[in-house]
């Protein structure tokens, strides 16, 4: 979900013993405020394993508690123009100050005049390079005797120059140059790891390089709601008895078409996983997010994707930019290139922290606060907050309560109707099972429309292709304030309960389906309102493709 796409990481107190001096850092320390707010990641460590309390003072206002724990990491997504002082204290009364760091926020128009200038220069350099390549192509293909004195240029020739041909050759050379730099792993390896494209590149690269465990691996996809809601640690503990291992590739701000390209990248043969969990009825797609979606998916795109990828955008301007990014991928990296030119040393240091980011993602346990005592009036839009919430937490909740437009919601449904079948078709001859799962809608039942029925999304899929689909009411018990930290995302407690239920449902159905496949029989599974039919297509001894239809 793009409305709350920043995933926060927080290490538990028992993840490892700390040692050394107390420390607190911010990455970045200087935040560019774009679209009203910016974000920074705060990391702290008391150094000796004792409890620590992180307070934030915004623009000389009253200090408020931001986080607590011996050590950890948390994102502050509400940075505005001004100064924010983060203090690490040994007690909740700020009696002993252990360390401090100051984060400054500056409006984009003020903070990045140099970046904007570099971005403009980069575009002009591309134009100049194209003109130079075209000129050289014309020059070298001329047919007369060439001068050896200044100015060196083609002489008059009895035969005309092939300008159209040479122009096409020049453009082709330019496309080849873009391909060498951006379509290979050359530039992808130095993408900003904390950007949307960088994070996607990091997790897909790590998954490609991960050796196969030999167990029944289940891949989980999704956006921020699944990233916050699903825990591989809990899932592996529950699934280990049945020989299952879970892999979480859910990424904030990702969409169903991005999941398709992620699967193509990490599973080129479409046979690596025992099952793939695909959530439905989540998120919404604002048309203004087209540049973000293009740059995010850019590391996974190929030349042949220009038509299919472009079809996933509402406006023609977005479709044009998407198709251009597939051919000239450098066009999707303009902001990243400008940032690299301005902060090359900071980029190198950030890339060196990539293993730490992957580890933080694996041990992430979720947010440790809830919305108990918070109420929302859908008629007036007024929110009454619980007393225990900090001002930072209240701002994050207010931001999450912004309702999307009806057109954005409808377009999200359209994307899922089009791209979930493509994922299924990719595995149509594979033993991999496709699992469709709903997600809990939120803590306030007044916020309707974010999770819809299976029939609403896939009316034709039920008859055209079968899935293993969990009942729509599976997670209704989680739709309470005690399981959420904002209007859409589960907290640590909800994360654990959601994972337990999802794993129980998926493992049970996969186990039942597998037993039917080995006996080459057809049977029916009835679970609440879910009725499925299992088909086993035997191709040698290795085939175990099971097709289970949802409600």
């Amino acid at each position: 979900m793009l409305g709350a796409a920043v995933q926060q990481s927080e290490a538990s107190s028992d993840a490892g013993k700390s040692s050394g001096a107390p420390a607190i850092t911010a990455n970045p320390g200087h935040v560019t405020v774009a679209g009203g707010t910016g974000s920074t990641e705060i990391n702290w460590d008391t150094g000796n394993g004792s409890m620590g309390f992180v307070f934030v003072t915004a623009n000389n206002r009253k200090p408020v508690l931001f986080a607590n724990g011996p050590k950890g990491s948390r994102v502050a997504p509400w940075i505005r123009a001004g100064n924010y002082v983060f203090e690490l204290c040994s007690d909740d009364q700020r009696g002993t100050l252990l360390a401090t760091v100051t984060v400054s926020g500056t409006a984009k128009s003020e903070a990045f005049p140099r970046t904007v200038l570099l971005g403009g220069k980069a575009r002009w350099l591309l134009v100049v390079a194209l003109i130079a390549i075209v000129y050289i192509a014309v020059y070298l293909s001329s047919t007369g005797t060439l001068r050896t004195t200044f100015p060196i240029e083609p002489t008059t020739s009895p035969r005309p120059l092939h300008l159209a041909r040479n122009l096409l050759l020049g453009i082709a050379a330019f496309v080849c140059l873009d391909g060498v730099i951006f379509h290979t792993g050359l530039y992808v390896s130095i993408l900003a790891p904390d950007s949307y494209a960088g994070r996607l590149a990091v997790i897909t690269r790590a998954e490609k390089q991960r050796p196969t465990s030999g167990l029944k691996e289940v891949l989980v996809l999704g956006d921020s709601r699944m990233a916050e809601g699903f825990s591989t640690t809990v899932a592996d503990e529950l699934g280990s008895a049945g020989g299952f291992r879970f892999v979480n590739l859910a990424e904030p701000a990702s969409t169903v078409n991005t999941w398709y390209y992620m699967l193509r990248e990490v599973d080129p043969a479409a046979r690596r996983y025992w099952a793939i969990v695909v959530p439905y009825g989540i998120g919404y797609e604002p048309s203004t997010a087209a540049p973000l979606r293009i740059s995010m998916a850019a590391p996974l795109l190929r030349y042949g994707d220009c038509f299919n990828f472009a079809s996933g955008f509402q406006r023609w301007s977005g479709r044009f930019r998407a198709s251009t990014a597939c051919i000239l991928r450098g066009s999707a990296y303009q902001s990243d290139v400008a940032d690299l030119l301005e902060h090359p040393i900071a980029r190198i240091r950030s890339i060196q922290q990539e293993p730490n980011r992957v580890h933080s993602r694996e041990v992430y346990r979720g947010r440790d606060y809830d919305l108990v005592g918070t109420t929302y009036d859908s008629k007036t839009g007024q929110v009454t907050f619980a007393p225990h919430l900090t001002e930072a937490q209240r701002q994050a909740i207010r931001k999450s309560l912004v309702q999307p437009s009806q057109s954005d919601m409808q377009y999200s449904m359209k994307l899922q109707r089009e791209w979930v079948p493509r994922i299924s078709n990719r595995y149509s001859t594979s033993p991999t099972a496709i699992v469709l799962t709903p997600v809990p809608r939120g803590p306030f039942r007044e916020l309707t429309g974010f999770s819809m029925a299976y029939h609403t999304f896939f009316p034709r899929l039920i008859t055209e292709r079968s899935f293993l689909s969990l009942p729509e009411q599976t997670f209704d018990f989680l739709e309470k304030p005690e399981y959420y930290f904002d209007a859409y995302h589960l907290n640590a407690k909800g994360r654990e309960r959601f994972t337990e239920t999802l794993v129980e449902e998926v493992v049970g159905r996969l186990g039942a389906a597998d037993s039917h496949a080995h006996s080459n029989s057809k049977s029916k599974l009835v679970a609440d309102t879910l009725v499925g039919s299992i088909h086993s297509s035997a191709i040698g001894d290795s085939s175990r493709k099971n097709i289970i239809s949802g409600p």
Side-chain angles (χ1 to χ4, degrees), residues 178-192 195 197-198 201 205 299 329-330 332-341 347 351:
D178 177 270
V180 170
I181 298 175
F182 298 107
H183 276 264
T184 63
L186 181 62
Y187 190 82
V188 173
S189 63
I190 58 174
L191 278 171
S195 66
R205 180 164 57 244
R329 189 182 293 182
Y333 292 146
Q334 290 183 16
S335 298
D336 193 271
V337 171
D339 180 73
L340 174 63
L341 294 175
R347 176 66 63 86
I351 292 173

Side-chain angles (χ1 to χ4, degrees), residues 64-325:
V64 295
L65 181 63
F66 173 70
N68 61 71
K71 63 178 180 179
S73 175
R74 176 167 292 182
V75 172
W78 29 256
I79 301 297
R80 299 179 181 271
N83 293 322
Y84 295 78
V85 180
F86 291 85
E87 300 174 322
L88 176 60
C89 302
S90 61
D91 59 272
D92 57 1
Q93 301 299 320
R94 300 176 65 227
T96 302
L97 179 64
L98 301 178
T100 182
V101 66
T102 300
V103 176
S104 59
T106 310
K108 184 175 182 179
S109 58
E110 301 174 2
F112 279 92
R114 186 178 174 189
T115 302
V116 175
L117 180 62
L118 285 173
K121 287 184 176 180
R123 285 190 290 271
W124 278 111
L125 284 174
L126 292 175
V127 174
V128 170
L130 177 60
I131 294 175
I133 292 173
V134 172
Y135 176 80
I136 293 173
V138 173
Y139 176 80
L140 294 179
S141 60
S142 60
T143 55
T145 302
L146 305 183
R147 296 182 182 179
T148 58
T149 59
F150 185 83
I152 300 177
E153 59 183 15
T155 60
T156 303
S157 171
R159 288 181 293 175
L161 296 177
H162 300 282
L163 294 179
R165 181 195 67 185
N166 297 333
L167 178 62
L168 292 176
L169 288 175
I171 294 175
F174 183 75
V175 172
C176 290
L177 180 63
D178 177 270
V180 170
I181 298 175
F182 298 107
H183 276 264
T184 63
L186 181 62
Y187 190 82
V188 173
S189 63
I190 58 174
L191 278 171
D194 54 351
S195 66
Y196 287 108
R199 289 205 303 268
L200 201 67
V202 166
I203 63 175
T204 53
R205 180 164 57 244
E207 177 62 9
K208 286 178 63 178
Q209 296 173 353
R210 180 184 62 83
T212 302
S213 64
L215 301 174
K216 303 173 184 178
E217 295 187 344
V218 179
L219 179 67
V220 178
L221 300 171
D223 62 7
S224 61
R225 294 174 76 171
M226 289 295 286
E228 291 285 353
F230 185 79
S231 169
T232 53
T233 302
V234 176
D236 287 341
E237 291 176 357
L238 297 173
S240 59
F244 286 89
R245 186 184 191 279
F246 288 80
V247 180
N248 186 3
L249 283 189
E251 179 63 21
S254 63
T255 54
V256 62
N257 53 346
T258 307
W259 307 340
Y260 174 87
Y261 296 116
M262 292 172 69
L263 287 172
R264 186 181 66 181
E265 186 73 11
V266 302
D267 189 15
R271 303 181 67 87
R272 180 177 184 180
Y273 302 103
W274 190 269
I276 298 173
V277 177
V278 181
Y280 68 89
I282 63 176
Y284 61 94
E285 300 305 317
S287 57
T288 55
L292 183 151
R293 289 176 54 202
I294 293 171
S295 64
M296 184 176 189
L300 310 176
L301 297 177
R302 302 172 184 172
Y303 291 109
D305 297 328
C306 56
F307 293 108
N308 285 337
F309 182 62
S311 67
F313 294 86
Q314 301 185 50
R315 300 177 180 176
W316 282 105
S317 59
R319 295 177 183 177
F320 175 78
R321 295 184 63 171
S323 58
T324 302

